[in-house]
Amino acid sequence: MLLALLFSYYISRSITNPIFSLLSGVRRMTKGDFTTQVAMKRQDEWGELSKAFNRMSQSIASLVEELKQANVRLREESHRARESTRLKSEFLANMSHEVRTPLTGIIGFAELLHEDAEGRLSPAQKNFTRNIVKAGEHLLTMINDILDLSKIEAGKYELEMSRFDMVEMIRNTLIIMQAKAEKQNISLVIETKYPTLQVMADKTRIRQILLNLLGNAIKFSHAHSVVRIIIEQSEHMVIVRVADEGIGIEVEKAEKIFEPFYQNDGRLERKYEGTGLGLALSRQFIELHGGTIGVESKPGEGSVFSFYLPSGKREAPTPDTCEQACKKEPLLVLYTADFLGSFRDFSEKIQKGFRPFLSFMIESKREAIEIVQKHPEYDILVAAQSFQAGYVDMLEGISEHTQGRIFSYIESPLRFVERGQVMRMAEYIPPSSDDMSDIISKTT
């Protein structure tokens, strides 16, 4: 009987000891020790399993080390890229200043020659001086755009806010563009039910955005077509749409056209002129106002560019609310392309919390990180229409480059496992867009 007990004890220990040994190794590995090894000299199946575990551990440790080295290289490359961007912006700003000063003098002297008070110039010479003025003004406009873009990238651009009538400003802008439209037999039409519409914004920059959009609409439209300017209003937003009947834009290029220096037709022999800065600046100016801009287009049927601008008509805040709002850093709102249709209503709900915010549409983890690196001290809200595999990976990338807190909003209901994955990186997930005030209160 005793012999049977001893034999059964030996058998049970010979089975459980390898299991406990492997389990201990797995536990050490889950705690981050990927160099762990299981000591087992048995020559049976347990021994083979232990050898396989040790080989796996070595492979994982090697991969982790390679990943650490790759992350170090990526951080170094990221630092170099940021430094290169800073130096590029400084160079552009300095060179633009250096070029603008003599160019202004050239334009001034050319205008004096063109006026020809004493009548000494021949018609051909007057034509030459007019061409000098036109070319100089075009170059000066491009230099000013580069300067503005450099200031925005450096975070040094300040809007000059004032209250004005959007409808009146658009009518005056159409008068400026009327001659250009008539040259191509294009009609400009305003569609709105509002005789006046007060907004709080930088009037000069909003006019510049309209001139860019109208100029593009006229340039890319067919003769004898119509360009419509549609003015609408929601509870807290003014919406302006510029619709043309022109050549349209391919779907894959619809977002790229807002990138600096991007040309829809990049060939040297392209038909349409332009620097590729107008739409990039328009997006930057709108986002500085806390608004958004986008395009809907079909090739051959035309395009509709729409921008959404906070109207400034909000519920009057209390003195305490104003004092708290002034102390808040802006909230950085990043949203995915599939969320674009919901973003207008979503942004209005953020505005009700009297919290300033900057919004950017992102299409990749890299793009999100680039934006966060420009505003590392801001709290971040990442919004998406539905849970995707790359969403958590993007949150992880953002967390490595921010000093602020991360919040998440996903329109579609989350499964328990998905919510758990997001909560590993995000501090809070509001149950619905109506609960955005919870995020505002958590970011004070």
Side-chain angles (χ1 to χ4, degrees):
M1 184 65 180
L2 179 62
L3 185 62
L5 288 172
L6 290 172
F7 180 74
S8 63
Y9 175 77
Y10 170 77
I11 293 297
S12 64
R13 295 297 294 177
S14 65
I15 294 174
T16 57
N17 280 347
I19 295 175
F20 288 142
S21 181
L22 285 170
L23 184 59
S24 175
V26 170
R27 285 172 176 167
R28 290 197 299 273
M29 189 174 288
T30 57
K31 292 179 179 179
D33 182 10
F34 297 108
T35 61
T36 185
Q37 296 283 294
V38 175
M40 195 178 299
K41 299 180 180 180
R42 298 175 56 147
Q43 302 299 317
D44 55 6
E45 290 81 358
W46 288 113
E48 290 299 320
L49 182 60
S50 299
K51 291 177 183 178
F53 178 87
N54 290 338
R55 288 195 297 270
M56 180 189 70
S57 175
Q58 290 173 353
S59 298
I60 293 175
S62 177
L63 290 173
V64 168
E65 184 60 30
E66 290 178 9
L67 184 60
K68 288 180 179 178
Q69 294 176 3
N71 284 335
V72 170
R73 290 194 297 271
L74 282 173
R75 281 194 292 270
E76 292 174 351
E77 290 295 331
S78 176
H79 175 73
R80 282 195 288 269
R82 289 197 301 271
E83 183 65 13
S84 297
T85 300
R86 184 186 66 81
L87 292 173
K88 178 209 71 176
S89 297
E90 288 184 0
F91 172 77
L92 287 174
N94 292 333
M95 285 302 298
S96 298
H97 278 296
E98 292 296 327
V99 173
R100 184 166 62 172
T101 302
L103 182 60
T104 303
I106 291 171
I107 294 172
F109 284 118
E111 287 176 339
L112 286 174
L113 285 171
H114 183 67
E115 290 174 2
D116 190 22
E118 298 181 6
R120 295 181 180 180
L121 297 182
S122 67
Q125 289 172 328
K126 287 182 71 68
N127 188 50
F128 293 153
T129 56
R130 184 172 62 249
N131 289 339
I132 293 172
V133 173
K134 288 176 63 177
E137 289 176 343
H138 175 74
L139 185 56
L140 186 60
T141 299
M142 184 173 69
I143 289 171
N144 288 334
D145 287 347
I146 292 174
L147 276 172
D148 287 341
L149 200 59
S150 299
K151 287 180 181 177
I152 293 171
E153 287 181 348
K156 296 179 179 178
Y157 194 90
E158 294 184 4
L159 297 173
E160 297 180 3
M161 305 294 281
S162 63
R163 186 167 291 280
F164 63 92
D165 184 354
M166 176 67 83
V167 177
E168 180 185 6
M169 193 269 287
I170 290 176
R171 293 188 188 279
N172 292 335
T173 305
L174 289 186
I175 293 173
I176 297 172
M177 302 299 294
Q178 192 66 45
K180 185 176 181 179
E182 288 176 354
K183 285 183 180 179
Q184 295 183 224
N185 294 316
I186 294 172
S187 301
L188 302 180
V189 178
I190 290 183
E191 297 180 5
T192 183
K193 63 180 181 180
Y194 303 100
T196 63
L197 202 55
Q198 294 293 317
V199 296
M200 177 66 75
D202 188 324
K203 186 176 182 179
T204 302
R205 295 313 172 193
I206 298 302
R207 182 187 290 111
Q208 183 178 345
I209 292 166
L210 282 166
L211 289 171
N212 284 331
L213 296 181
L214 285 169
N216 286 342
I218 293 170
K219 179 166 60 175
F220 294 106
S221 288
H222 305 297
H224 307 289
S225 61
V226 177
V227 172
R228 296 178 297 123
I229 299 87
I230 305 147
I231 309 170
E232 302 171 348
Q233 185 183 32
S234 63
E235 186 178 359
H236 296 298
M237 305 288 282
V238 171
I239 305 106
V240 179
R241 308 185 195 278
V242 178
D244 64 59
E245 301 170 357
I247 61 175
I249 304 167
E250 293 88 344
V251 175
E252 61 273 14
K253 294 182 179 180
E255 188 60 28
K256 292 181 179 179
I257 60 174
F258 291 99
E259 297 175 1
F261 303 106
Y262 181 83
Q263 296 280 356
N264 192 24
D265 181 1
R267 299 172 300 169
L268 289 174
E269 66 275 14
R270 61 179 180 266
K271 178 180 177 182
Y272 304 101
E273 296 180 353
T275 61
L277 286 172
L279 289 176
L281 273 173
S282 296
R283 165 172 277 187
Q284 297 278 16
F285 286 140
I286 286 294
E287 289 177 345
L288 282 175
H289 281 85
T292 59
I293 186 171
V295 61
E296 298 175 6
S297 182
K298 290 184 179 179
E301 296 184 15
S303 306
V304 180
F305 283 84
S306 305
F307 65 83
Y308 302 83
L309 189 70
S311 62
K313 290 176 60 180
R314 305 187 193 175
E315 178 184 347
T318 65
D320 290 340
T321 305
C322 288
E323 183 179 354
Q324 292 172 5
C326 292
K327 294 179 180 178
K328 297 176 185 176
E329 289 282 1
L331 176 66
L332 186 59
V333 180
L334 308 179
Y335 60 97
T336 56
D338 64 344
F339 193 69
L340 180 60
S342 304
F343 184 74
R344 183 179 65 180
D345 294 334
F346 182 76
S347 63
E348 290 181 8
K349 291 173 181 177
I350 297 178
Q351 291 171 37
K352 291 180 179 178
F354 306 108
R355 176 71 185 270
F357 69 95
L358 299 175
S359 59
F360 300 89
M361 189 174 81
I362 52 175
E363 293 188 332
S364 65
K365 174 183 174 182
R366 177 186 60 80
E367 189 175 352
I369 290 174
E370 288 177 354
I371 295 170
V372 170
Q373 287 174 338
K374 296 178 181 178
H375 310 281
E377 71 281 7
Y378 292 176
D379 291 332
I380 302 166
L381 170 61
V382 185
Q385 187 65 30
S386 59
F387 180 86
Q388 302 291 338
Y391 184 81
V392 174
D393 184 48
M394 181 166 61
L395 293 181
E396 290 176 350
I398 290 171
S399 68
E400 295 174 0
H401 297 84
T402 182
Q403 303 164 13
R405 292 171 290 180
I406 300 176
F407 302 91
S408 171
Y409 175 75
I410 298 178
E411 183 83 8
S412 303
L414 289 172
R415 294 183 300 167
F416 181 79
V417 174
E418 294 171 345
R419 177 173 288 273
Q421 292 178 9
V422 174
M423 285 301 293
R424 285 195 302 110
M425 306 307 306
E427 182 169 315
Y428 179 68
I429 306 175
S432 72
S433 60
D434 294 327
D435 296 290
M436 292 308 301
S437 58
D438 293 344
I439 284 186
I440 302 302
S441 64
K442 290 176 182 291
T443 56
T444 55

